[in-house]
Amino acid sequence: MPRPGHYRGELLGDFKGNAISFQVAADGRTISNVQMTGYWRCSDSLSNTTYKTSPRLVSTYGAMPGTVPVKAGLFSAEAKQPYLLWNLSGRFVTPTTAQGTFMVQSNDCTSYKLTFTATRQ
């Protein structure tokens, strides 16, 4: 069972400084306020090129909506909001450390699937 509190960790991918943070509820059964800070890749609509062209800051898009259930230390959820899709999955490897994957995307931007290790702060 995870310990309640605020968790933070580095997202591993192309850009340094990408981070994930989230809150574990007092009963340890849900995760909320999942946020990514850092960059994602966006297509350049003027030249019709691929996602690998234009990095943009993603922190302004806010938190993943809803809560993510935690069962036997495992968690997984997909959330949609107009124009955005979030995916979070992983497991608590200790009561204060979680490992997993995270992705956020829109019609023209994606973080791709990133891995993370987050620890209780």
Side-chain angles (χ1 to χ4, degrees):
M1 183 74 89
R3 288 189 55 203
H6 183 76
Y7 287 70
R8 183 171 172 78
E10 183 179 357
L11 287 161
L12 301 177
D14 290 344
F15 300 113
K16 293 202 181 292
N18 281 1
I20 188 169
S21 63
F22 55 86
Q23 189 73 27
V24 173
D27 64 6
R29 293 182 181 176
T30 59
I31 293 172
S32 63
N33 198 29
V34 179
Q35 295 187 34
M36 174 188 174
T37 55
Y39 294 89
W40 59 355
R41 294 196 181 273
C42 300
S43 61
D44 181 346
S45 60
L46 297 177
S47 64
N48 230 4
T49 56
T50 67
Y51 282 117
K52 297 192 179 234
T53 58
S54 178
R56 294 185 196 159
L57 196 62
V58 74
S59 61
T60 57
Y61 293 97
M64 178 177 172
T67 60
V68 180
V70 179
K71 294 181 183 173
L74 302 174
F75 54 91
S76 181
E78 179 178 285
K80 294 179 183 177
Q81 199 173 37
Y83 310 109
L84 291 173
L85 172 69
W86 287 267
N87 263 298
L88 175 71
S89 65
R91 66 187 180 98
F92 283 89
V93 294
T94 73
T96 59
T97 304
Q99 293 179 336
T101 61
F102 175 81
M103 184 179 74
V104 60
Q105 61 187 20
S106 70
N107 290 337
D108 63 348
C109 297
T110 183
S111 67
Y112 294 102
K113 189 180 272 190
L114 303 170
T115 61
F116 69 87
T117 298
T119 56
R120 187 174 182 269
Q121 303 296 294

